[in-house]
Amino acid sequence: MTSDETTNDDDFTPDDFTPDDFTPDGSAPDGLAPGGSVPDAGPLPAPGSAEFGDAEASFISEMGSLMERWGLPQATGRLFGYLLLRNKPVDLDTMTRELGQAKSGLSVAARQLEAWTLVRRSTRPGSRRIDYEAVGDLQHLLLVNNAHMRKFTETLNSGIPVARGEARDRLASLAGLFDGYVQQTEALVADWEARRAAAAS
């Protein structure tokens, strides 16, 4: 297999996947096993191996366990942890060598992370090889989530006039909670962007 052929499994557009494709409801896009597991996802090299020190391997493993609770495969979380520790973009061949996992599984994991806007892809001049790097500016992801929360709040508010007694109070309380969540998140993002702009000036 030629070098170009090795990257064919990575030829896709971001529109092929959305975050909804990777929910814990058991559905999965092409390339995922039933239940959303990444195929051929072998274990990481042992702590203290030639590729990872103890602390680095522990961080990668913990990120995998954390993101599994979000409904993503553990292998996808481990890849995110790995990319967070890299100082420059990494191609699939390097990931395969350093993580000790099959390229097919890592390719699917990278696509999942890109669909969640947690990583971005890039190409090198004159090459079809794809590189991935962790994204450091995730404020837009928070704002997208806020849009869903705002719609949820509006739906809760629409139920208040038709509810009675304790049900009405419960709906009003929930609507107030999520409205506060939306406002606080927007304020947090605005403050973070202002501090980042000030630091860059």
Side-chain angles (χ1 to χ4, degrees), residues 83 86-91 122 124 131-133:
L83 290 173
R86 305 277 76 80
N87 290 317
K88 60 182 180 179
V90 184
D91 60 43
S122 60
R124 307 174 191 181
D131 292 329
Y132 291 95
E133 63 180 322

Side-chain angles (χ1 to χ4, degrees), residues 47-123:
S49 69
E51 300 296 348
F52 299 104
D54 290 351
E56 190 174 24
S58 177
F59 172 79
I60 293 172
S61 179
E62 289 178 9
M63 184 61 68
S65 298
L66 172 64
M67 296 191 73
E68 186 177 34
R69 295 197 278 280
W70 294 0
L72 287 169
Q74 189 169 126
T76 300
R78 292 201 302 263
L79 177 59
F80 183 51
Y82 163 81
L83 290 173
L84 283 171
L85 295 176
R86 305 277 76 80
N87 290 317
K88 60 182 180 179
V90 184
D91 60 43
L92 283 172
D93 287 334
T94 302
M95 294 179 199
T96 300
R97 183 179 68 253
E98 295 190 349
L99 289 171
Q101 295 176 202
K103 180 182 286 189
S104 59
L106 288 170
S107 178
V108 172
R111 297 177 191 194
Q112 289 181 312
L113 292 171
E114 186 176 20
W116 279 70
T117 68
L118 294 174
V119 305
R120 67 168 59 94
R121 60 162 47 201
S122 60
T123 56

